[in-house]
Amino acid sequence: MALIKTEDFIASIADALQFISYYHPEDYIQALARAYQQEASPAAKDAIAQILTNSRMCAEGKRPICQDTGIVVAFVKIGMRAQFEGDMTIEQMVNAGVKRAYCHPENTLRASMVEDPAGKRRNTKDNTPAMTYVEMVAGECVEVMIAAKGGGSENKAKLAMLNPNDSIVDWVLAQVPNMGAGWCPPGMLGIGIGGSAEKAMLLAKESLMAPIDIQDLQARGAQTVTEALRLELYTKVNQLGIGAQGLGGLTTVLDVKILEYPTHAASLPVAMIPNCAATRHVHFHLDGAGVAQLTPPSLDSYPDVHWAPSAQAKRVNLATVTREETSTWQIGDTLLLTGKILTGRDAAHKRIQSLLAAGEALPVDFKQRFIYYVGPVDAVGDEAVGPAGPTTATRMDSYTDMMLSTGLLGSIGKAERGEAARAVMATHRSVYLMAVGGAAYLVSKAIKHARVVAFADLGMEAIYEFDVVDMPVTVAVSHDGQSVHESGPAHWKRQIAIHAQASSEH
């Protein structure tokens, strides 16, 4: 019988969350390295290079892979003969570990959890509570699978109650293009089949805890219906041409994971949850012998990829840039921004809307400026700011006309913009620039100074002014409303189909 000490459990949770904040799983690094070597799309290859470079930097610097350090998800499987010291519940111990990890002074993690979700949405300040799922199993040990799940990918979760004879493949292939790029591909798709609606969602989430092994499965061949389904979906999703960051390319998913459970004869529940480029999870056991020991990936497992700006990138002086100059930028152009940019995201936009509706003056002049959709990690040591990658721009679409009416030249974020927002941009002759999601620490190195200029009470959602030098971005929407997130995937979907046709003829 194992006696699990309360402090050992809490410390193991805290250590695991710090660990996964800066270490990608080794299988993910290797899978992304393969994708980089195979990628034929220059834009996608550049994005993957940024993600791989960022990953190595985070492993060496012990700083978060992504500014969105996630919602904590813990699957805790307790052996029937295991015992716990003390009176704390599993949920209380997990939350104590979360609080310790996210408030660690040497590697502060961003607190993103808000309470009163349908009301005031107050930040809990320590990223609690976690989503904790407890299961009793045979044995005397405790098994923990823990992840930090980013909001961008979590927001793309899908659930369908299909008819028993409906095609799961058809459903998935219809959903993935509609997910856009806010989930930061390349990542994994977790699919849960069966049970009930809530069971299917849990199966999908738990499936994402498994290691990437699709290449091994391809090599030996499918031996079950589920394995055959994984292979079919892996191939067909990548044939969509969505590519890294939705820019168009050969690799959209690195693996497709599936867990299933018996279901009602009249039902076919299917859930799908993507994991982003900031894939963060670890698996450990406690047997009463102390705190879990976690083994970091070897730096030798990283490919020899070190991103640097393209020689063709245009340098932009934000102090002198004009609307006439931005009107010459074409979708797909790579830029290096130097100067001052403002930040703002959901809560700041809502407050600006309230001020304008009340006829009150704004605390910041947006005229001739760029706004960066970001919620940075707090700085530590001599950092100007912590990891500060982009958040999903689509969430700000409904505010586009309001913000551009203030005189903004453009915006910076990740993923696509909606059709209505692009039409508004075209009316204002505004542009949208994309930074790479999953390269937050790399991006932060371009930020030389940061100060809060408005709404300090909003924490990471306050408006900052950043001084940046050579901040890398790509023109994603041009002044006339054209979108690289439409043209890129469409081009690469055609290229993949042409190649497949040529291969079948030979």
Side-chain angles (χ1 to χ4, degrees):
M1 179 180 69
L3 177 63
I4 311 300
K5 294 182 179 179
T6 300
E7 174 56 24
D8 287 347
F9 189 93
I10 293 172
S12 296
I13 295 291
D15 289 351
L17 291 169
Q18 277 285 311
F19 182 91
I20 64 177
S21 77
Y22 44 73
Y23 288 134
H24 267 131
E26 192 163 327
D27 57 273
Y28 180 84
I29 297 166
Q30 293 169 349
L32 195 59
R34 284 191 295 269
Y36 176 81
Q37 294 298 329
Q38 296 167 2
E39 188 55 69
S41 162
K45 198 174 185 76
D46 181 81
I48 296 173
Q50 288 195 45
I51 296 167
L52 283 168
T53 301
N54 181 79
S55 181
R56 179 190 286 272
M57 289 172 60
C58 294
E60 293 175 335
K62 304 294 189 293
R63 291 295 273 144
I65 293 166
C66 181
Q67 80 289 338
D68 182 353
T69 50
I71 181 172
V72 176
V73 182
F75 289 90
V76 183
K77 299 184 179 183
I78 303 171
M80 291 292 291
R81 296 192 302 278
Q83 286 193 347
F84 284 87
E85 171 192 73
D87 297 324
M88 292 181 73
T89 67
I90 298 299
E91 289 86 350
Q92 287 172 335
M93 288 190 288
V94 169
N95 287 332
V98 172
K99 181 176 181 179
R100 184 182 299 183
Y102 278 72
C103 298
H104 196 296
E106 295 178 9
N107 182 41
T108 306
L109 305 180
R110 195 185 84 183
S112 301
M113 292 295 289
V114 294
E115 58 191 0
D116 189 17
K120 294 184 178 180
R121 297 180 67 84
R122 293 179 295 267
N123 195 297
T124 65
K125 307 296 186 182
D126 57 14
N127 217 52
T128 62
M131 307 298 112
T132 303
Y133 305 102
V134 180
E135 179 182 355
M136 301 302 295
V137 297
E140 61 179 22
C141 297
V142 174
E143 177 184 359
V144 178
M145 296 181 289
I146 195 162
K149 189 70 164 58
S153 59
E154 190 69 5
N155 287 346
K156 303 300 182 180
K158 306 290 182 183
L159 171 69
M161 302 302 289
L162 300 181
N163 292 319
N165 295 322
D166 288 344
S167 167
I168 294 172
V169 172
D170 289 349
W171 179 78
V172 170
L173 295 179
Q175 300 307 311
V176 172
N178 294 328
M179 284 162 42
W183 61 282
C184 282
M188 293 192 295
L189 292 182
I191 296 176
I193 303 172
S196 54
E198 78 281 5
K199 181 66 172 180
M201 293 299 287
L202 282 174
L203 291 169
K205 182 64 67 64
E206 186 175 351
S207 75
L208 292 171
M209 305 288 188
I212 294 172
D213 64 353
I214 199 73
Q215 280 74 29
D216 294 338
L217 180 54
Q218 286 177 318
R220 69 169 171 80
Q223 297 174 356
T224 67
V225 171
T226 301
E227 289 180 346
L229 182 58
R230 284 182 61 197
L231 290 174
E232 183 178 3
L233 286 171
Y234 173 77
T235 298
K236 290 183 175 179
V237 169
N238 282 326
Q239 287 174 343
L240 294 172
I242 294 168
Q245 301 294 298
L247 294 170
L250 303 182
T251 301
T252 301
V253 290
L254 300 171
D255 203 343
V256 176
K257 315 303 291 190
I258 298 176
L259 286 178
E260 55 187 5
Y261 196 84
T263 191
H264 191 284
S267 301
L268 181 57
V270 182
M272 179 169 65
I273 305 177
N275 229 3
C276 64
T279 291
R280 295 165 294 204
H281 60 86
V282 72
H283 190 170
F284 63 85
H285 290 79
L286 296 174
D287 60 5
V291 177
Q293 300 300 305
L294 307 172
T295 303
S298 169
L299 289 179
D300 292 337
S301 66
Y302 285 84
D304 187 19
V305 176
H306 306 275
W307 178 86
S310 165
Q312 285 73 47
K314 300 177 183 179
R315 282 190 156 80
V316 176
N317 183 344
L318 295 171
T320 60
V321 67
T322 63
R323 203 171 297 276
E324 288 68 33
E325 181 180 347
T326 63
S327 295
T328 67
W329 297 347
Q330 304 297 311
I331 54 172
D333 285 353
T334 53
L335 312 176
L336 296 170
L337 307 180
T338 296
K340 298 181 185 297
I341 58 176
L342 297 169
T343 77
R345 46 178 284 165
D346 311 71
H349 281 69
K350 184 175 182 179
R351 190 167 291 183
I352 289 168
Q353 185 180 56
S354 297
L355 290 173
L356 291 173
E360 299 180 27
L362 298 182
V364 178
D365 184 3
F366 291 99
K367 190 174 182 180
Q368 296 295 109
R369 307 293 294 273
F370 278 84
I371 189 168
Y372 182 28
Y373 305 137
V374 62
V377 175
D378 289 344
V380 298
D382 60 358
E383 292 178 340
V385 70
T391 197
T392 306
T394 320
R395 297 202 313 276
M396 268 53 75
D397 276 4
S398 62
Y399 297 106
T400 301
D401 189 51
M402 175 190 78
M403 292 303 299
L404 294 182
S405 295
T406 67
L408 273 176
L409 281 178
S411 53
I412 308 166
K414 72 169 186 180
E416 71 287 344
R417 305 305 296 268
E419 184 177 352
R422 296 200 309 272
V424 171
M425 290 178 200
T427 299
H428 288 271
R429 296 175 61 226
S430 174
V431 295
Y432 165 60
L433 313 176
M434 188 209 80
V436 172
Y441 196 36
L442 175 65
V443 171
S444 73
K445 295 304 182 182
I447 303 168
K448 305 306 179 183
H449 184 261
R451 66 187 182 100
V452 175
V453 294
F455 309 151
D457 61 297
L458 296 181
M460 63 92 173
E461 295 206 63
I463 296 179
Y464 290 76
E465 183 178 69
F466 288 167
D467 283 298
V468 301
V469 175
D470 287 348
M471 177 179 171
V473 294
T474 298
V475 179
V477 177
S478 57
H479 75 286
D480 56 357
Q482 296 183 62
S483 171
V484 74
H485 287 101
E486 287 191 347
S487 61
H491 170 76
W492 282 97
K493 185 176 181 180
R494 289 193 301 269
Q495 292 300 110
I496 292 168
I498 290 169
H499 178 75
Q501 179 65 29
S503 297
S504 66
E505 291 174 354
H506 289 86

